[in-house]
Amino acid sequence: MSLPSDFQWGFATAAYQVEGATQQDGRGPTIWDTFCALPGKIADGTDGSVACDSYNRTAEDIALLKRLGATCYRFSLSWARIVPLGGRNDPINQAGIDHYVKFVDDLLEAGIEPFITLLHWDVPDELDKRYGGLLNRKEFPLDFENYARVVFKAIPKCKNWITFNEPWCSSILGYSTGFFAPGRTSNREKSPVGDSSREPWIVGHNLLLAHGRAVKVYREEFKPTDKGQIGITLNGDYTYPWDPEDPRDVEAANRKIEFAISWFADPIYFGKYPDSMRKQLGDRLPEFTIEEVDLVKGSNDFYGMNHYTADYVKHGDGNPAPEDFLGDLSTHPYSKNGDCIGPETQSFWLRPNPQGFRGLLNWLSKRYGYPPIYVTENGTSIKGENDLKEPEILNDVFRYEYFRDYVNAMAKAVSEDGCNVRGYMAWSLMDNFEWAEGYETRFGVTYVNYADGQQRKEKYSAKKMKEIFDAVIKKD
């Protein structure tokens, strides 16, 4: 059971979750700044204005990565730091560019390979106000293409690019449930605007077009000289049928992955949406024009995989509500015969199930022709962790066991099943702003004391990470 000797491992974060400094050096407002200001949207009423203060602590964060033995680091850029208003005719903020250029230089000097995500949900607020942001099929992809070009030009030393993080979340949580910014939904108790039956599918389509445009620019204008690679990061759980004897549950378990992952991956690898989605959604799912297919099909150099958990899936009644986005099914922590996915965590949606990681790596590899895969997020929260004080909060044995078991499952998928996994980035380097859950839920291998100047202290899992990988990576 082993991973290749050039396997890269490290940690992941995202700009709005760690940077803070939202008013510093010319950064413009994002949809998350606006959303957090709305009463009741964030569990503890907080926002990302300070977060981990990583914008001002890049040297400290790099020293931490180096201490932990990481060989790569995935982080996202704040579009609103680089083009504060977001648009292709808006001014560029040189201070924002300079910050990230120096950060990449410093990472490389420390022997850490950067993986840069262009957009991890924090769309410039002006674009939302100007033309509806992600809902605009014409304007948004052009503005994203321009932003991507500015960044590619400024940071040729970065060889690993991710266009979007988890477009499923931007589409469904932002435009169906209203749980994430900009909070649009058909539920009028939550939002005065939104159409959960149509808007998420429009947003998903537009994100694919924007992804395709950025990839085309990179491949035509930068890849020949910079020799880097570019892809997208998609999220999804593994699934098991609630009743493995019921063919409808078996079919529903597969359909759930199609609605979560293949919604984006099928157009990228095959140039079309999954048949199961077209069947249920009809004309609510946009049609690709010939030009759009040309843009999107084949637009991944690698597959970025975010994965945390698994579900038991029970088929629906064949009559899904207009706002249904799962695929006419329900998910459950227990199967028909009482088997459990895994123990509870602080996150209602997350139960550890390492064999599901191996299962999904195989599912993706078989469907998409064994592409190079980078695991760009994987990790867990711990039930009640935020209620603990030091030193107990540093003793995250549960998280260590999660990483150990998941990494071993991945190593088997590579060495025994032939999956082509090239790298792994744990979520997350440190506790941070967990979106709608605020600071109540912690995912970090490093404890951040928000009450005492954002100081970082390594937890048990942080100190064991190198040992976990040393045990499975082949020595040259």
Side-chain angles (χ1 to χ4, degrees):
M1 177 181 78
S2 59
L3 297 167
S5 59
D6 60 351
F7 190 89
Q8 294 175 288
W9 70 270
F11 301 91
T13 60
Y16 192 71
Q17 293 180 272
V18 299
E19 280 187 353
T22 52
Q23 307 281 313
Q24 212 171 312
D25 293 345
R27 176 189 179 275
T30 73
I31 58 172
W32 272 93
D33 297 287
T34 303
F35 187 69
C36 290
L38 299 172
K41 297 299 183 191
I42 310 300
D44 52 9
T46 57
D47 59 35
S49 57
V50 179
C52 308
D53 193 34
S54 282
Y55 182 80
N56 295 305
R57 301 182 188 216
T58 53
E60 203 178 318
D61 289 354
I62 291 170
L64 172 63
L65 285 161
K66 204 166 176 179
R67 226 169 26 247
L68 301 186
T71 60
C72 61
Y73 181 48
R74 173 183 178 231
F75 61 98
S76 81
L77 308 182
S78 170
W79 182 347
R81 287 196 193 282
I82 294 164
V83 190
L85 299 176
R88 55 198 183 276
N89 299 312
D90 293 322
I92 288 167
N93 177 35
Q94 192 59 42
I97 293 177
D98 292 347
H99 170 81
Y100 291 119
V101 168
K102 180 173 176 3
F103 187 47
V104 166
D105 284 347
D106 293 350
L107 280 167
L108 289 168
E109 197 174 317
I112 297 161
E113 188 74 25
F115 280 69
I116 295 182
T117 308
L118 292 173
L119 187 67
H120 196 122
W121 306 346
D122 48 348
V123 177
D125 197 49
E126 172 62 24
L127 300 187
D128 206 49
K129 292 184 164 64
R130 192 178 283 176
Y131 55 67
L134 300 180
L135 284 166
N136 196 304
R137 190 166 175 167
K138 177 172 170 276
E139 298 296 330
F140 180 78
L142 289 170
D143 283 345
F144 184 73
E145 174 189 335
N146 172 73
Y147 157 61
R149 183 183 279 110
V150 167
V151 170
F152 296 148
K153 189 176 176 192
I155 316 178
K157 291 181 188 174
C158 177
K159 307 302 181 191
N160 308 286
W161 296 97
I162 294 158
T163 51
F164 293 106
N165 177 74
E166 301 186 347
W168 184 94
C169 293
S170 298
S171 309
I172 298 300
L173 303 181
Y175 293 83
S176 177
T177 65
F179 192 51
F180 278 6
R184 293 174 69 98
T185 173
S186 292
N187 180 348
R188 289 294 164 255
E189 288 174 13
K190 269 191 176 177
S191 170
V193 290
D195 179 354
S196 302
S197 72
R198 287 189 180 272
E199 287 189 0
W201 315 114
I202 293 167
V203 166
H205 194 80
N206 298 343
L207 286 166
L208 280 166
L209 302 183
H211 158 80
R213 282 194 168 275
V215 171
K216 186 173 194 287
V217 163
Y218 187 71
R219 286 178 174 171
E220 290 179 358
E221 301 174 27
F222 299 94
K223 192 173 179 172
T225 49
D226 296 352
K227 306 280 191 282
Q229 54 181 349
I230 189 165
I232 194 168
T233 278
L234 306 177
N235 60 297
D237 307 340
Y238 191 57
T239 57
Y240 306 97
W242 181 76
D243 177 2
E245 303 299 308
D246 187 336
R248 294 169 302 178
D249 285 357
V250 173
E251 198 178 311
N254 199 62
R255 192 165 64 246
K256 178 172 188 300
I257 304 178
E258 291 184 337
F259 266 69
I261 295 176
S262 304
W263 172 13
F264 300 99
D266 274 19
I268 287 170
Y269 289 95
F270 307 138
K272 65 188 274 296
Y273 287 120
D275 294 344
S276 59
M277 294 186 72
R278 180 64 67 196
K279 184 180 171 188
Q280 179 174 320
L281 300 170
D283 69 355
R284 289 184 285 138
L285 191 64
E287 295 278 1
F288 286 99
T289 66
I290 291 165
E291 294 78 20
E292 289 174 346
V293 171
D294 287 345
L295 201 57
V296 173
K297 189 179 179 184
S299 58
N300 251 5
D301 294 337
F302 62 86
Y303 180 101
M305 177 184 186
N306 285 6
H307 174 75
Y308 291 87
T309 190
D311 308 288
Y312 288 111
V313 174
K314 207 178 194 175
H315 70 275
D317 61 3
N319 191 27
E323 64 274 14
D324 174 62
F325 54 80
L326 289 175
D328 188 24
L329 54 91
S330 57
T331 60
H332 305 269
Y334 289 89
S335 70
K336 184 184 180 182
N337 66 3
D339 292 330
C340 183
I341 284 292
E344 283 186 276
T345 64
Q346 187 61 31
S347 310
F348 69 88
W349 52 270
L350 200 170
R351 287 169 179 259
N353 184 274
Q355 62 273 31
F357 188 24
R358 185 179 182 180
L360 189 58
L361 283 164
N362 275 280
W363 192 98
L364 294 167
S365 296
K366 284 171 186 161
R367 189 176 181 105
Y368 300 118
Y370 290 81
I373 294 173
Y374 287 87
V375 178
T376 43
E377 284 180 30
N378 176 241
T380 190
S381 58
I382 302 175
K383 198 166 182 63
E385 185 178 20
N386 196 43
D387 303 327
L388 301 174
K389 301 279 183 284
E390 288 184 63
E392 290 78 19
I393 199 164
L394 302 177
N395 191 29
D396 62 341
V397 174
F398 183 90
R399 184 173 287 112
Y400 156 69
E401 289 173 346
Y402 177 100
F403 285 133
R404 178 197 64 197
D405 296 349
Y406 269 73
V407 168
N408 282 330
M410 172 179 68
K412 284 179 180 161
V414 172
S415 61
E416 295 175 23
D417 308 336
C419 298
N420 184 10
V421 189
R422 304 276 183 88
Y424 173 100
M425 285 141 262
W427 187 270
S428 177
L429 177 61
M430 63 188 87
D431 296 332
N432 56 51
F433 179 70
E434 190 49 37
W435 307 108
E437 293 173 51
Y439 296 97
E440 289 176 359
T441 304
R442 294 174 179 267
F443 270 87
V445 301
T446 307
Y447 167 64
V448 176
N449 187 337
Y450 303 111
D452 188 14
Q454 276 62 28
Q455 65 177 127
R456 292 101 155 101
K457 286 191 182 172
E458 289 141 61
K459 301 178 193 175
Y460 180 75
S461 63
K463 295 171 178 175
K464 298 289 278 187
M465 212 67 178
K466 186 171 187 301
E467 183 184 300
I468 291 172
F469 278 98
D470 281 349
V472 290
I473 293 177
K474 276 191 195 124
K475 308 288 182 286
D476 266 341

